[in-house]
Structures are given as C-alpha cells and as structure tokens.
C-alpha cells in the first residue's frame, strides 16, 4: 500500500479493510436501539458484492438489523444478466433473499430500447443514472428501509468529488452521500466502502472467495466519469494519498456547505411522487421528453 508504505499478509490485510469499514459504518449509521432495515444495492460487481458480504459479516447475527439485498435490472443486453446471476448466487451463499426491480416494469422500456430510440443521442448514463437512483429509492421505501447501502469505493468517491468541483456544483457537493438527514421521500444512502481503494476491494473479494461479475457495461466508454477516473489515477500515481486527501477535503467542507441545502424543500414529483426539488423529477422529465420525441 503505497499511501501507507505498508506490506500486509492476508490476515492483516483483511483486518485492515474490515476495521476501516466498521469505522465508516459506525459513523454513518445512527443506531437508536430500534430495529433497522438496510437495503443493499447489488449489481453483481465486486464493489457491491463486497459491501453485502461485509454488512452480512458485521450484522449477520444482529437481530436488530435486517439486510434487504436487491438489484436494479436496467435491461442492458450482454451485461446485466451475468451480474444478476452473480448477485443471486451471492445472496444464496449468504442465506439472504434477493429482490429485483426493473426498468421495463417501471418505465415500460429497457435501457437498451431507451438508448436506441434516443434521437438526441444523449450519453446513456444520463438516462440510466437518475432512473437507477429513482428505483433504488423506490424499492427501499417500499421495504420501509432506514438506509440504502451502495458499493462506492474510494476511487469512485474521489472522482465524484472532483467532478462536482469542476462543474462548480456546490449543491451537489453538499448533497453527496453518506446522508445524515432524514427526508420524508428520500432513503438516506450509506457508503461503507468509501475509504477503501478500488484495488483493495478487488483484492478483498479475491482473497475471501467472494464471487463477482467482472463484466463492463457496454455504455461505460461514453461515461464522462472515465476522464475523471484517469485524472484521479494519475494524481494518485504521482502523489500517493491524493484520493484520501480529496475525501478529507470534502468531509471538512460538507458541514459548511450543508447550510446551503439544509432548508431546501425536497418535495414530491407531481407525476411519480419521487423526491425532487422541482415540480417534476428528472426521470419523469426524461421520460416525457422521450415520448414527445
Ligand atoms: Fe448505466 Fe452508464 Fe453505469 Fe452503464 S455505465 S450501468 S449506462 S450508469
Ligand atoms: Zn417523477
């Protein structure tokens, strides 16, 4: 580990990962003594699989915590099916029931179709991201979840911070998960892996025999995030510790920024009832534009 200057054996590596994840969970999860439901979004990939595995390892015997793993099926041919199979397999191994929520059931179309019919040729992730987040929130609310856990690793998290800084999007920086607020329509997101680098998540999965799907979404090449992925990787290579520094910067800035969104009204979308600060949410807006086109 270049950023700590240490070399660890398997046992100490596992302990090092688990210790940091437990600390994050302690800080992100408010325990009040009453039972808690945590929805866990799993794609079948390494990050979300390790998230579920660790949450189950930490809370599996805790009678006051119920895990609810689910997968959003966007409808991406040649990609999502293998992820779904892995997700199902992992839940089976851990003795947890797996749930699925799909674009086609909820929006009437698979992402493949949405992309094919989009005459504006918008980046697929611009449709997929808000739609996926919407369904994650929907299934978590239907299940009365107190939290929804996402498998965001340190590299992803540092990329998101930098992307929002570059866009000058203060509100989005302030709203980034982990969420410490309670809003009627939005289930707070927690990110147990946000301090674990991507290569350590991968190593943890391999060392512990966690099955995951290593396929890539066919639309990934068009994601704007790719550019930031490379920038963060280059910065980390030149100066080990850059990713951690970005997260520290954001953690210190967030309480100051949160004043800008604390009193913001988070209303309900007129059409679907999802949380939004506008009259109509981004997903309904997107769907109505597509139907119009
Ligand atoms: Fe969706 Fe883009 Fe992720 Fe593919 S890469 S699953 S299109 S957000
Ligand atoms: Zn809506």
């Amino acid at each position: 580990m270049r950023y700590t200057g240490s070399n660890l054996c398997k046992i100490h590596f596992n302990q090092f990962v688990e210790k940091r994840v437990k600390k994050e969970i302690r800080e992100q999860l408010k325990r009040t003594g009453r039972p808690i439901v945590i929805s866990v979004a799993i794609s079948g990939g390494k990050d979300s699989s390790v998230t579920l595995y660790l949450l189950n390892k930490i809370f599996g015997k805790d009678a006051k915590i119920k895990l609810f793993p689910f997968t959003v099926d966007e409808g991406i041919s040649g990609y999502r099916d293998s992820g779904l199979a892995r997700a199902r397999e992992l839940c089976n191994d851990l003795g947890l029931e797996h749930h699925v929520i799909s674009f086609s059931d909820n929006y009437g179309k698979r992402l493949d179709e949405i992309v094919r019919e989009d005459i504006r040729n918008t980046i697929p992730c611009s449709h997929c991201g808000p739609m996926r987040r919407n369904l994650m929130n929907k299934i978590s609310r239907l299940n009365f979840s107190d939290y929804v856990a996402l498998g965001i690793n340190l590299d992803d998290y540092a990329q998101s911070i930098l992307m929002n800084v570059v866009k000058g999007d203060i509100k989005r920086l302030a709203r980034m998960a982990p969420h410490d607020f309670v809003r009627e329509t939005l289930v707070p997101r927690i990110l147990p892996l946000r301090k674990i680098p991507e290569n350590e998540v991968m190593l943890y999965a391999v060392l512990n025999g966690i099955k995951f799907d290593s396929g890539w979404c066919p639309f990934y090449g068009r994601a704007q995030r790719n550019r930031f992925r490379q920038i963060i990787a280059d910065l980390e290579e030149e100066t080990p510790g850059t990713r951690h520094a970005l997260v520290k910067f954001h953690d210190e800035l967030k309480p100051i920024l949160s004043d800008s969104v604390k009193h913001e009204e988070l209303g309900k979308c007129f059409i679907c009832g999802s949380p939004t600060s506008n009259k109509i949410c981004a997903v309904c807006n997107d769907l109505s534009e597509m139907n119009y086109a």
Side-chain angles (χ1 to χ4, degrees):
M1 288 173 183
R2 290 183 62 214
Y3 61 93
T4 57
S6 54
N7 297 290
L8 302 179
C9 67
K10 175 180 170 178
I11 294 170
H12 286 104
F13 172 76
N14 276 342
Q15 284 175 355
F16 187 54
V17 170
E18 288 165 14
K19 195 173 147 199
R20 282 174 294 166
V21 170
K22 280 182 190 160
K23 182 169 179 284
E24 271 307 304
I25 292 174
R26 259 199 315 276
E27 288 171 7
Q28 296 180 29
L29 206 73
K30 307 275 173 293
R31 297 200 67 174
T32 54
R34 66 171 181 83
I36 289 178
V37 179
I38 307 175
S39 280
V40 190
I42 52 168
S43 63
K46 64 180 188 324
D47 302 300
S48 54
S49 299
V50 167
T51 301
L52 179 62
Y53 175 91
L54 279 168
L55 285 172
N56 187 61
K57 185 166 184 178
I58 296 165
F59 294 127
K61 294 196 178 78
D62 189 329
K64 288 203 163 171
I65 296 209
K66 181 174 178 266
L67 300 178
F68 180 89
F70 70 90
T71 303
V72 177
D73 180 2
E74 305 91 344
I76 306 174
S77 299
Y79 167 65
R80 179 48 68 224
D81 288 350
S82 54
L84 263 171
R86 283 296 184 217
R88 245 182 248 120
E89 214 177 335
L90 177 65
C91 289
N92 214 18
D93 290 351
L94 300 176
L96 297 165
E97 194 181 342
H98 179 237
H99 305 262
V100 178
I101 184 163
S102 72
F103 275 30
S104 48
D105 286 347
N106 286 275
Y107 306 131
K109 281 174 195 202
R110 296 165 52 83
L111 184 66
D112 284 341
E113 294 172 79
I114 294 173
V115 172
R116 211 171 30 241
E117 292 168 11
D118 181 3
I119 51 169
R120 291 189 195 90
N121 198 22
T122 316
I123 293 173
C125 306
S126 308
H127 298 297
C128 182
M131 287 180 165
R132 192 155 32 88
R133 280 193 292 277
N134 195 25
L135 292 190
M136 289 195 301
N137 194 54
K138 181 174 179 180
I139 194 169
S140 305
R141 286 187 73 200
L142 285 173
N143 184 47
F144 304 105
S145 297
D146 299 278
Y147 295 96
V148 54
L150 310 185
I152 306 283
N153 63 47
L154 175 64
D155 298 63
D156 298 331
Y157 199 64
Q159 287 155 24
S160 299
I161 295 169
L162 192 63
M163 283 169 80
N164 288 333
V165 169
V166 169
K167 285 182 194 154
D169 198 335
I170 302 269
K171 289 202 167 169
R172 215 173 259 232
L173 265 179
R175 284 195 214 110
M176 276 177 71
H179 297 145
D180 52 6
F181 52 73
V182 178
R183 297 255 168 94
E184 190 202 337
T185 47
L186 186 69
V187 179
R189 298 182 199 131
I190 56 168
L191 315 175
L193 302 185
R194 76 174 186 131
K195 299 263 181 78
I196 314 292
E198 182 169 12
N199 57 356
E200 290 178 34
V201 176
M202 167 81 85
L203 188 56
Y204 186 89
V206 172
L207 289 176
N208 292 282
I210 302 167
K211 296 166 194 153
F212 63 90
D213 177 46
S214 48
W216 286 80
C217 172
F219 302 124
Y220 185 77
R222 290 186 62 192
Q224 193 196 22
R225 180 174 282 274
N226 272 332
R227 178 104 176 82
F228 287 87
R229 166 180 277 266
Q230 194 54 51
I231 292 169
I232 294 284
D234 291 345
L235 288 172
E236 182 71 27
E237 178 64 29
E238 281 164 31
T239 316
T242 299
R243 293 167 300 186
H244 287 92
L246 266 168
V247 175
K248 186 166 175 285
F249 156 78
H250 181 250
D251 280 356
E252 287 181 17
L253 197 63
K254 204 173 163 191
I256 304 166
L257 295 181
S258 60
D259 271 351
S260 67
V261 289
K262 207 156 57 192
H263 304 295
E264 192 178 58
E265 284 286 318
L266 196 59
K268 288 183 191 170
C269 169
F270 256 161
I271 301 173
C272 72
S274 295
T276 177
S277 41
N278 300 312
K279 283 189 177 148
I280 295 175
C281 75
V283 173
C284 289
N285 207 20
D286 196 16
L287 286 169
S288 68
E289 277 182 14
M290 273 187 277
N291 291 336
Y292 204 59

